Amino acid sequence: MPAKIVLKVTEGSLKGTEYVFTDRTTCIIGRGGDCNPRLPDDKDHSTISRHHCLLDINPPGMRVRDFGSLNGTFVNGKKIGQRDRTIAHREAIKAKFPEHDLKDGDTIRLGMTVFRVSITVPLACSVCSKELTGDGADGGLQTDGSYICTDCKSKQVQLEPVKKPQGADIKRCTNCGNEFPFDPDASEILCASCIENPLQLIKQEAEDDSVNIKGYKVINELGKGGMGAVYLAEQTGTGQKVALKVMLSSAAVNDRAREMFLREVENTKHLKHPNVVGLLDYGNSQGTFYFTLEYCEGGSVDKIMARKGGKLSVAEATHIILQALDGLIYAHNIQIPNVKLTNGSIVTINGLVHRDIKPSNIFYTDTPQGRIAKIADFGLGKAFDAAGLSGYTRTGSAAGTPVFMARQQVINFKYSKPEADVWAMAATYYFLLTGRFPRDFPKGKDPWYIVLQTSCVPIQRRNQAIPKNLAEVIDTALVDQPEIIFKTAESFKKALEGVL
């Protein structure tokens, strides 16, 4: 069972209604017809705005931010986020309102409606992070209040006793086996050396015949974040260069998270198309999640833009977008049979939606047939996010890239219709041609509120050299209120080809 957050209405006309969240998402609460949870548009909620506040959810974490409403949002009876009455609602985006962390038992009051927050976190083994069933009956309660699974408990009795430093427990690193002082409040099960040097971790594993990650020679680091790293590696035996992505177990991933991760990778490996970066291999080794992808030596499109002065010609940008749209058309229409869900049922998945199309997720690679554009991270971003590996950060970075998101996706990040990807592809095309985002995002203004309340700037205002007919198609593709015009990647591509 994953961590779960339940918002239960305890007062008001919606009393008894529950909203359950088990995955990473954002949502807007207000009277607007596009909000979820949606409040009644009646006299009891006349003080509530159409888009009143935003919830940023990553179970078991949750935050709330008022959108500068006239009457504020009440958390545990305390008002947060209220704007000055002399400031118009549309001007509220100029103000920065703080986010508030919510805990189990907290309440949110909006008009006459009161939500109570209930947070459930499953028990997990303090050594290997395996999820424990029931009340931990399959493991044992430790003196520090933590639990240990049966497997780790049986292994623990075989270890030589270690003198316990005052104020710390002793644990054994799941990678190198060395013992180290372990803070009972911490979640890491790797020693400091393995956490701080993931490159060395991979090299050690590559040379160790007992682990599954063997067979790859690390060449150099391509990038590193707080939870993992990406390396250029060479597959021994074939010499094929791959992008090796590694996620460390310091996120304390549980059994359900592993299952979700592997299920998502299982889905992604079915994507076999020239314009989608292919998944080659994946696994878990000594507390380390990893997978390998096709290596695109041309790099990501945003870096290509930077090398060419910040924008691309109509010809080059169009070449990239038409090929990327082919990748979208394929993914949106793929059928993946016999997928086992967590409840045990077997279903056929009809289409995969990316949800984070942007220039940094489109790559170039050279082939005998010429230069090809490929969409990267198709579904893997969602997989790591669901597995708790992306971390929990402030709104604006955790749930995607709002500058390339349609308002429908801002209102509900889990919005997964193909048209959201089509809109993002049009926004990416706009960016390639102008070096600017479709909407203006002035410094200091709330980017989420800007997406909700403003329209895109016509592309010819950014670049007058763009042909009029092409500009009209792009502008049409970026309409997202009240709805997105182009519902499919096929229709957008057909419209582009009609004016090129």
Side-chain angles (χ1 to χ4, degrees):
M1 179 183 71
K4 179 173 70 175
I5 295 177
V6 177
L7 280 184
K8 183 174 183 178
V9 181
T10 58
E11 296 181 30
S13 59
L14 299 176
K15 185 175 180 179
T17 304
E18 293 187 350
Y19 303 88
V20 181
F21 305 94
T22 57
D23 298 317
R24 181 72 179 88
T25 189
T26 60
C27 57
I28 308 294
I29 303 180
R31 292 184 296 108
D34 49 8
C35 291
N36 185 31
R38 182 188 180 188
L39 299 177
D41 190 5
D42 56 22
K43 63 179 182 179
D44 289 339
H45 299 85
S46 59
T47 60
I48 304 304
S49 304
R50 285 179 48 77
H51 301 121
H52 196 90
C53 62
L54 177 143
L55 296 179
D56 184 10
I57 301 167
N58 193 16
M62 182 178 188
R63 291 189 174 115
V64 60
R65 184 169 84 239
D66 186 88
F67 271 140
S69 64
L70 186 59
N71 296 284
T73 299
F74 289 83
V75 177
N76 298 329
K78 182 180 178 181
K79 186 183 292 185
I80 66 169
Q82 183 181 25
R83 74 177 189 273
D84 190 287
R85 290 184 176 272
T86 62
I87 300 176
H89 194 197
R90 293 182 66 86
E91 292 298 309
I93 56 177
K94 294 181 179 179
K96 294 276 271 190
F97 296 100
E99 294 175 333
H100 293 257
D101 292 311
L102 296 171
K103 305 182 300 298
D104 183 56
D106 284 351
T107 60
I108 305 171
R109 177 182 286 276
L110 297 168
M112 298 301 292
T113 297
V114 176
F115 299 89
R116 179 171 293 277
V117 179
S118 175
I119 301 176
T120 303
V121 181
L123 294 175
C125 174
S126 59
V127 177
C128 69
S129 298
K130 176 183 178 181
E131 185 177 314
L132 305 178
T133 59
D135 59 357
D138 60 348
L141 179 64
Q142 305 299 289
T143 57
D144 62 1
S146 64
Y147 285 86
I148 185 171
C149 71
T150 303
D151 289 341
C152 289
K153 191 173 183 178
S154 63
K155 295 175 183 177
Q156 194 175 58
V157 297
Q158 302 173 16
L159 301 178
E160 295 182 3
V162 180
K163 184 177 180 181
K164 176 181 175 182
Q166 185 175 4
D169 284 342
I170 289 294
K171 298 294 179 187
R172 217 173 262 274
C173 177
T174 58
N175 173 60
C176 66
N178 292 331
E179 295 170 331
F180 65 102
F182 180 86
D183 180 352
D185 293 328
S187 61
E188 291 81 357
I189 55 175
L190 297 174
C191 66
S193 175
C194 290
I195 291 174
E196 293 174 359
N197 193 352
L199 178 59
Q200 183 61 34
L201 171 63
I202 296 175
K203 287 181 176 178
Q204 290 173 356
E205 291 184 332
E207 297 168 357
D208 187 346
D209 291 337
S210 66
V211 295
N212 294 330
I213 204 169
K214 69 176 183 178
Y216 295 101
K217 178 183 178 182
V218 174
I219 299 174
N220 60 269
E221 182 181 293
L222 298 176
K224 183 167 66 174
M227 287 294 180
V230 184
Y231 303 94
L232 172 60
E234 185 177 283
Q235 188 175 32
T236 56
T238 66
Q240 180 185 10
K241 290 183 179 179
V242 300
L244 176 63
K245 291 191 176 184
V246 176
M247 291 288 172
L248 303 180
S249 63
S250 54
V253 183
N254 59 29
D255 278 352
R256 169 63 184 272
R258 291 190 191 92
E259 179 183 354
M260 295 176 71
F261 165 76
L262 293 175
R263 185 187 72 197
E264 201 73 35
V265 175
E266 178 71 17
N267 294 344
T268 307
K269 76 178 185 181
H270 290 276
L271 293 170
K272 305 292 185 181
H273 190 272
N275 300 118
V276 176
V277 174
L279 177 72
L280 303 175
D281 187 24
Y282 62 91
N284 175 283
S285 174
Q286 298 293 312
T288 301
F289 284 110
Y290 75 92
F291 59 88
T292 60
L293 299 165
E294 292 179 281
Y295 174 62
C296 299
E297 67 283 349
S300 58
V301 170
D302 60 322
K303 293 180 179 178
I304 294 173
M305 289 177 64
R307 294 197 296 266
K308 295 193 173 186
K311 60 183 179 181
L312 303 179
S313 67
V314 171
E316 187 166 13
T318 300
H319 180 260
I320 291 171
I321 294 301
L322 290 179
Q323 291 198 354
L325 281 170
D326 282 339
L328 271 189
I329 292 169
Y330 166 79
H332 287 171
N333 291 282
I334 191 173
Q335 287 194 335
I336 306 176
N338 303 321
V339 176
K340 186 176 181 179
L341 301 181
T342 54
N343 62 10
S345 60
I346 305 297
V347 301
T348 295
I349 291 181
N350 295 305
L352 292 176
V353 180
H354 192 289
R355 301 196 307 170
D356 196 18
I357 295 292
K358 55 187 177 182
S360 60
N361 273 338
I362 301 177
F363 286 72
Y364 249 164
T365 187
D366 291 314
T367 71
Q369 293 74 37
R371 177 163 282 192
I372 294 179
K374 292 176 176 278
I375 303 173
D377 290 338
F378 224 121
L380 292 176
K382 178 184 175 184
F384 279 125
D385 203 68
L389 291 167
S390 63
Y392 183 73
T393 56
R394 291 288 176 180
T395 303
S397 60
T401 309
V403 293
F404 293 104
M405 289 170 62
R407 67 186 304 277
Q408 286 80 358
Q409 203 169 348
V410 168
I411 290 169
N412 183 356
F413 178 63
K414 292 174 70 175
Y415 185 86
S416 57
K417 293 183 180 180
E419 63 195 60
D421 282 349
V422 178
W423 193 97
M425 190 65 76
T428 297
Y429 195 13
Y430 186 112
F431 186 78
L432 301 187
L433 292 170
T434 67
R436 302 275 300 276
F437 304 130
R439 289 183 171 95
D440 284 324
F441 288 89
K443 185 177 180 180
K445 296 186 179 182
D446 189 322
W448 295 81
Y449 198 80
I450 286 174
V451 174
L452 288 174
Q453 297 292 335
T454 65
S455 300
C456 296
V457 177
I459 193 169
Q460 282 195 321
R461 292 188 191 175
R462 309 284 205 204
N463 185 348
Q464 294 182 354
I466 297 173
K468 181 180 178 181
N469 290 344
L470 176 59
E472 289 176 351
V473 172
I474 295 173
D475 289 340
T476 299
L478 290 172
V479 172
D480 59 359
Q481 191 170 1
E483 61 182 1
I484 297 171
I485 303 298
F486 290 112
K487 304 297 185 184
T488 66
E490 293 100 323
S491 61
F492 181 39
K493 183 183 179 185
K494 183 177 180 181
L496 289 176
E497 291 177 332
V499 298
L500 293 171

